[in-house]
Amino acid sequence: MTNDVSVAVGDAMRLLRRGLSLGVVLAVVFGLATYLWSQRQDPVYEAQATVLVSSQTADFRSFGVLPFVAPAIDVSAYEVASRSDAVAQAALAALGEEGASLPAFRALYRVSSRDDGTSALLTVTGRAPSPERAAAVANAVANALVAWDVERATRSVQQVVQALEQQIAALTEQVRALQALGDPARQSEVDGLISLRAQQQQSLAVARAMGASAIGRLEVIQHAVADATPVAPRPFVNALLAALAGLVVAYGVVI
């Protein structure tokens, strides 16, 4: 069984009248105090850099070039990478602030992504007490993220190069061991190992060339520009919200 609670129109009007004077007073006090407090706060500026995430890359085979492209990853992984020590340290180095605190620097920027299925964009937002600083932070992080993606492609090639070098070294040792035996019957085996080593050496040369031309999937398409309009504080908005809070408090007391 439920109990319905109803309030007569006359009671509601009396409640509104009783709380009106107190509500006006608290709204004015809260709003004015918040406005004065907001005006005393240091201004905060924002600047944004835009990075394109390519799902496909240009085909250079017609020019006789076969670059190695970084493996495709989910666009949200770039958001996580932007908070990594590697990216943050690279951005600080670009700003000439290698010794700065990483947690304090991470508080100055954020990275968001937008993916419509055909293309993806990363928005790097820098936030600082000056417009120039905000733009510098956003651009440094965007460039560091692009460099991190290229390094990711380079690391993949380096793993292939190391594996091939190990295989070639092992084949060389096998050839030497067989040649040291001086057994003519095993000459065909030696020739086969030498041929295989030559193939691996050719593959190694190709892998090294690919490593030199490794490319990432990120490209800065819009660098951050300093904007002289601060995004915070917002005295009028804060004062309005505080005034509304004052009304709520006043009628809460009356009720």
Side-chain angles (χ1 to χ4, degrees):
M1 181 177 181
T2 60
N3 296 324
D4 295 332
V5 179
S6 60
V7 180
V9 175
D11 294 338
M13 295 302 296
R14 283 193 295 273
L15 177 63
L16 289 175
R17 288 195 296 269
R18 288 179 59 188
L20 182 59
S21 58
L22 179 60
V24 171
V25 171
L26 291 183
V28 171
V29 172
F30 282 24
L32 181 60
T34 303
Y35 180 82
L36 295 176
W37 174 81
S38 297
Q39 281 195 322
R40 292 178 177 270
Q41 303 303 305
D42 295 330
V44 177
Y45 301 86
E46 284 188 355
Q48 293 183 339
T50 305
V51 180
L52 174 66
V53 184
S54 302
S55 57
Q56 297 180 348
T57 57
D59 190 353
F60 297 97
R61 286 178 295 182
S62 59
F63 300 97
V65 179
L66 186 62
F68 185 85
V69 184
I73 58 176
D74 189 80
V75 67
S76 61
Y78 289 112
E79 297 183 40
V80 178
S82 69
R83 315 298 297 179
S84 66
D85 289 350
V87 172
Q89 288 173 350
L92 281 172
L95 293 170
E97 304 172 11
E98 291 86 346
S101 168
L102 291 181
F105 179 68
R106 290 191 185 98
L108 298 178
Y109 69 90
R110 67 179 184 274
V111 177
S112 59
S113 61
R114 184 173 74 250
D115 188 354
D116 60 6
T118 57
S119 62
L121 294 175
L122 297 173
T123 301
V124 183
T125 304
R127 189 179 178 92
S130 70
E132 294 77 14
R133 172 68 171 170
V137 169
N139 288 328
V141 173
N143 292 330
L145 197 56
V146 171
W148 174 85
D149 197 47
V150 174
E151 185 180 355
R152 184 169 64 91
T154 304
R155 284 197 303 268
S156 299
V157 179
Q158 287 175 345
Q159 293 175 354
V160 175
V161 170
Q162 292 175 356
L164 288 171
E165 288 176 343
Q166 293 174 357
Q167 293 176 13
I168 291 171
L171 289 171
T172 300
E173 290 299 322
Q174 293 179 31
V175 170
R176 289 176 179 173
L178 290 175
Q179 289 177 338
L181 295 176
D183 186 358
R186 308 195 67 173
Q187 185 59 43
S188 60
E189 185 178 353
V190 172
D191 294 339
L193 291 174
I194 292 176
S195 176
L196 178 59
R197 183 179 61 182
Q199 294 176 6
Q200 297 293 70
Q201 289 173 336
Q202 184 177 5
S203 298
L204 177 61
V206 173
R208 285 174 173 167
M210 292 173 62
S213 60
I215 59 176
R217 293 181 176 271
L218 301 184
E219 178 186 359
V220 179
I221 60 174
Q222 178 62 58
H223 287 91
V225 179
D227 186 352
T229 304
V231 296
R234 297 178 295 175
F236 289 105
V237 175
N238 294 339
L240 178 60
L241 294 176
L244 292 175
L247 289 173
V248 172
V249 171
Y251 281 102
V253 171
V254 171
I255 292 173

